[in-house]
């Protein structure tokens, strides 16, 4: 099928999806979960073929691990689909309500965005997760997975779309793209795709952002900072820095640059250097840092804007809170930044002026995550400032519309016609 | 000043603006209002020069009227600035709050977007309105007004920026661009401008949307529909159609296409034709319509996607509610669409499936407006589906950030370290 036909079918399907009630959507989700379990053999076989090919192609071990889709991953995605059925319907929530005049009632109501374009690398479990999130939120979805996982994705897609349509989902609500050219097609379809969600490497996400006029939700870099203020508790600081840097180095909310107030550097740095050394973290520091930690490498300008995703930490001393804030706003990526201090006033300034999606006080940057934030299923993390920001749950797939219920009212009666607006808040639920 | 210097100054100023408290912002707004009144002579003189030039250039009367900025307009903008000071601070609102664990509290808090790029045609009063909205919402702003109003804009800008900075606004929080080349510069500054708000003709807005990677809030077309279902009250329908079409023809929420169910066409169309004729509205109809209204012109395909902004109405008969919904989703602009019916079920389907920012039942399309919706000062109307949709008030200039208050917590303790998340809703206000 041509990309445009797939996207048009998704657009058509999105109209009916928007009107499906919760019971229908939840029973479709249950049918998908059941079908995935019933078709495990076909799916596992396709995945073994992908894995065999990947080994032939000498894919690295972490990539191979992400590519695998066997019993444990199946159990996980089935669990995820079941969890979705227990969530309230995100569609039709009354966000605001105002009486404009007697019998003229305005409601702001949540509704699906429309058609989501989801482009992800390897991980076939992402396909199931996104299919489920889209359906629950009433959005149609066009998916493109990594080519290494093509057989697994095809198998999962076939099972999901057949099961869903048999259970009442509109035809074409989920579409699968299978070639690289189709990504290029997709990026140009402003008229059919409402939102792109790319998941993958920084380069990959940046490529998507720079090559489409469709809004993109996601993040390229995660250059996260911790600033240690002069009055910080040294033991606590070391513990938090270590967790932020080493608890999982390959993720976007891991610490990359540490800023240390010069007055606390003499106390903090020697203890920290020892702890980092034990954790096998390489230090790249400015001249002040290297004065105290002679084993540290010299940091170059490039280090302040590098996301290592590795056992490397850049450390810089600063003269003031303002300099720290300025550094973060200059070199950071607007993802997650923390301040360690006993001083609520300093923290308040940091919270107000650091222009990042998450700002943290006296805790690890690793907390910035949809699951830990209690958002339920995570759609992604957005460093954009419009629509959704930071860890994004199901709400990130919703928009709203204004619904006005009248009884024949016309504007002429209110513009010089003698009637006036009441603009009273409405307490009751909307009529339907 | 170079465009980039202006934008960089605005970016720097935006950091301090984000931290200003309500009292300071309101006193700056009051100072601006006072300064505008004190400098009325300079402003009026600049405006008279713009008007004289415009008459020499043979500008059309409606444009001349929009260009004028004398006593009445001054009174209006001063009133607007004062109204802003009575509004709650939109910054720092607690949107959500969750305890992740004892002593680890997460708050979702409203904050400014950052730097707004505002490009508008003629109307100098828009400059004052946007300056005020930006300041109140803690955003820096870079403005480009119409060249016809260049002297007035320069005078207003000088008075506003001087008064604001004397009253405590950070230097450079408002910037003025004065040449067409500077618009091109601005459209390329993804790194400094967070949001573009264009106000002007469809072509102008579409040009901005197609020539920048910066998110744009606004609307190009307003192709609004009314669908008359077979059971509608004919007299009420005529009244609503007339108001929607003729109450003010040159605006984006005016009716452009009427869809009539074929079963009610024989009763509705003759009465309607007479009323439209009296109001001097030209009808362009399909063959069914012309059968009943012989004086109607023939509608061509182009008519279904034309925003007339004039005394012209396209009328089409449809066989069903579904066909009406389909027509609106195909030819509409996602702005405002209404259904006239006694049947709540039909209206419910229409509300769910019509993909527009405002959907209306039994009332005029002209109600879709920020003032009538009770949103206070209107930033604009957005037909985009992300961030803000439909009439947009001050909230459209806000985003949010996640603020996490800890006491030394690290993720390691929760990942196999024995601690678990509580994820309890928080009832109290955030610490600061």
């Amino acid at each position: 099928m041509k990309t445009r036909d797939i996207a048009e079918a998704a657009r058509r399907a999105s109209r009916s999806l928007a009107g499906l009630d919760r019971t229908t959507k939840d029973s479709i989700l249950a049918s998908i979960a059941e079908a995935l379990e019933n078709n495990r053999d076909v799916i596992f076989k396709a995945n073994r073929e992908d894995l065999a090919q990947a080994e032939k192609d000498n894919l690295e071990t972490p990539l191979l691990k992400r590519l695998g889709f066997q019993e444990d991953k199946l159990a996980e995605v089935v669990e995820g689909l079941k969890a979705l059925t227990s969530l309230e319907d995100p569609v039709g929530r009354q966000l605001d309500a105002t009486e404009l005049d007697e019998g003229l009632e305005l409601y702001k109501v949540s509704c699906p965005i429309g058609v989501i374009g989801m482009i992800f690398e390897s991980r076939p479990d992402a396909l199931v997760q996104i299919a489920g999130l889209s359906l629950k939120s009433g959005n149609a979805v066009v998916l493109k997975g990594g080519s290494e996982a093509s057989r697994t994705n095809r198998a999962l897609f076939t099972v999901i779309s057949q099961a869903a349509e048999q259970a009442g989902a509109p035809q074409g609500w989920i579409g699968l793209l299978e070639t690289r050219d189709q990504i290029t097609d997709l990026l140009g379809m402003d008229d059919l795709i409402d939102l792109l969600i790319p998941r993958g490497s920084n380069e990959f996400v940046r490529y998507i952002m720079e090559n489409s006029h469709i809004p993109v939700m996601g993040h390229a870099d995660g250059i996260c900072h911790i600033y240690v203020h002069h009055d910080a508790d040294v033991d606590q600081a070391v513990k938090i820095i270590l967790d932020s840097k080493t608890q999982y180095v390959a993720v976007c909310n891991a610490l990359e640059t540490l800023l240390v107030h010069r007055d606390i550097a003499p106390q903090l740095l020697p203890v920290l250097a020892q702890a980092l050394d034990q954790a096998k973290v390489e230090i790249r520091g400015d001249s002040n840092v290297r004065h105290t930690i002679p084993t540290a490498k010299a940091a170059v300008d490039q280090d302040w804007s590098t996301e290592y995703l590795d056992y490397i930490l850049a450390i810089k001393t600063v003269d003031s809170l303002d300099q720290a804030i300025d550094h973060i706003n200059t070199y950071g990526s607007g993802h997650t930044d923390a301040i360690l201090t006993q001083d609520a006033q300093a923290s308040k300034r940091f919270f107000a002026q650091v222009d990042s999606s998450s700002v943290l006080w006296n805790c690890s940057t690793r907390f910035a995550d949809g699951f830990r934030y209690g958002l339920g299923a995570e759609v992604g993390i957005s460093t954009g400032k419009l629509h959704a920001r930071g860890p994004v749950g199901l709400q990130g797939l919703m928009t709203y519309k204004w619904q006005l219920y009248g009884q024949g009212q016309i504007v002429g009666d209110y513009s010089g016609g003698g009637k006036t607006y009441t603009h009273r808040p409405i307490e009751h639920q909307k009529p339907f």
Side-chain angles (χ1 to χ4, degrees), chain A:
Chain A
M1 240 170 122
K2 281 191 191 156
T3 315
R4 187 144 204 108
D5 295 335
I6 293 173
E8 278 178 351
R11 171 59 75 195
R12 272 194 306 277
S14 74
R15 312 295 183 202
S16 329
L17 270 182
L20 285 192
D21 58 27
R22 177 182 170 175
T23 315
T24 310
K25 289 190 287 191
D26 287 349
S27 91
I28 297 171
L29 287 168
S31 300
I32 293 175
E34 201 187 323
L36 287 171
E37 289 187 317
N38 291 343
N39 290 278
R40 64 210 308 142
D41 295 342
V42 184
I43 298 165
F44 294 164
K45 180 163 173 288
N47 187 247
R48 281 193 303 271
E49 289 171 18
D50 278 334
L51 284 168
Q53 183 65 47
E55 279 185 56
K56 253 191 239 168
D57 297 345
N58 290 315
L59 239 68
E60 290 172 34
T61 315
L63 280 178
L64 277 178
K65 210 174 151 190
R66 286 154 54 90
L67 177 54
F69 191 97
Q70 300 292 325
E71 283 295 352
D72 53 338
K73 286 290 173 71
L74 177 68
E76 223 172 77
V77 299
V78 164
E79 192 55 45
L81 290 170
K82 286 180 182 161
L84 279 176
T85 63
S86 71
L87 295 179
E88 286 295 308
D89 194 346
V91 177
R93 284 178 54 222
Q94 184 165 321
L95 307 174
D96 215 339
T98 310
E99 181 200 87
L100 304 192
D101 191 7
E102 205 183 316
L104 186 61
E105 298 189 344
L106 178 69
Y107 297 85
K108 186 175 169 185
V109 179
S110 70
C111 65
I113 289 175
V115 184
I116 312 294
M118 173 84 197
I119 314 173
F120 56 101
E121 296 184 327
S122 339
R123 290 192 44 207
D125 43 322
L127 187 151
V128 185
Q129 196 196 358
I130 291 300
L133 285 166
S134 301
L135 189 78
K136 180 80 188 193
S137 60
N139 288 288
V141 61
V142 177
L143 295 151
K144 169 71 178 77
S147 50
E148 310 83 18
S150 59
R151 296 172 189 85
T152 318
N153 287 337
R154 162 61 50 185
L156 288 169
F157 166 76
T158 307
V159 171
I160 290 172
S161 63
Q162 283 178 359
E165 286 172 21
Q166 274 168 24
Q171 216 186 341
W173 72 277
I174 182 169
L176 183 69
L177 307 183
E178 301 192 273
T179 69
R180 223 165 266 253
D181 287 351
Q182 289 187 300
I183 298 185
T184 315
D185 295 344
L186 192 72
L187 297 187
M189 294 180 181
D190 313 37
D191 55 333
L192 295 173
I193 308 294
D194 294 300
L195 177 66
L196 290 173
I197 307 182
R199 280 198 195 170
S201 68
N202 304 356
E203 295 70 35
F204 174 74
V205 175
R206 203 169 294 119
Y207 174 83
I208 303 292
M209 289 176 167
E210 284 168 5
N211 287 281
S212 182
H213 280 287
I214 304 170
V216 175
M217 184 156 74
H219 65 279
D221 299 304
I223 302 176
C224 301
H225 297 77
I226 287 179
Y227 163 61
V228 186
H229 200 43
H230 57 73
D231 67 344
D233 177 306
V234 168
D235 289 343
Q236 192 183 80
V238 172
K239 196 177 85 170
I240 291 174
I241 294 164
L242 227 68
D243 186 80
S244 299
K245 180 69 244 181
T246 66
Q247 205 267 332
Y248 191 1
V249 293
V251 288
C252 58
N253 60 12
L255 174 67
E256 303 294 5
T257 300
L258 178 69
L259 303 172
V260 179
H261 193 284
R262 62 172 174 187
D263 293 348
I264 201 175
Q267 291 86 59
L268 176 70
L269 291 179
V271 193
L272 180 65
Q274 208 179 347
L276 289 172
D277 186 55
Q278 278 176 13
K280 305 209 182 310
V281 176
E282 174 186 319
I283 300 175
R284 303 197 185 166
D286 64 11
S287 57
N288 283 334
V289 170
R290 279 178 297 130
H291 184 76
T292 316
I293 313 177
T295 54
K297 291 193 181 172
V300 294
D301 218 43
Q302 178 70 22
D303 283 299
W304 312 128
S305 45
T306 298
E307 184 181 18
Y308 301 116
L309 297 173
D310 205 346
Y311 287 86
I312 304 170
L313 179 65
I315 308 184
K316 185 185 170 78
T317 48
V318 293
D319 295 338
S320 63
L321 171 59
D322 281 336
Q323 202 191 333
I325 292 172
D326 205 48
H327 180 99
I328 294 171
N329 284 331
T330 306
Y331 295 98
S333 57
H335 193 296
T336 298
D337 300 290
I339 181 172
L340 309 186
T341 180
Q342 321 270 358
D343 179 358
Q345 283 309 310
S347 192
K348 186 178 174 181
R349 285 246 312 281
F350 187 91
F351 274 22
Q353 296 192 19
V354 167
D355 190 13
S356 297
S357 70
S358 285
V359 285
L360 282 51
W361 184 23
N362 292 338
C363 54
S364 168
T365 58
R366 293 275 297 118
F367 282 111
D369 160 282
F371 165 69
R372 290 176 195 131
Y373 276 10
L375 302 181
E378 181 170 291
V379 174
I381 289 190
S382 169
T383 51
K385 289 199 262 180
L386 299 180
H387 193 63
R389 197 177 195 198
V392 179
L394 208 46
Q395 287 312 316
L397 298 180
M398 309 309 298
T399 180
Y400 59 84
K401 59 172 72 164
W402 299 93
Q403 301 185 340
L404 183 58
Y405 297 73
Q407 296 172 358
Q409 289 87 346
I410 60 171
V411 162
D413 290 343
Y414 298 81
S415 300
K419 285 198 182 183
T420 54
Y421 296 99
T422 57
H423 288 154
R424 251 196 299 259
I426 292 175
E427 305 296 338
H428 59 256
Q429 282 296 302
K430 64 195 166 79
F432 55 75

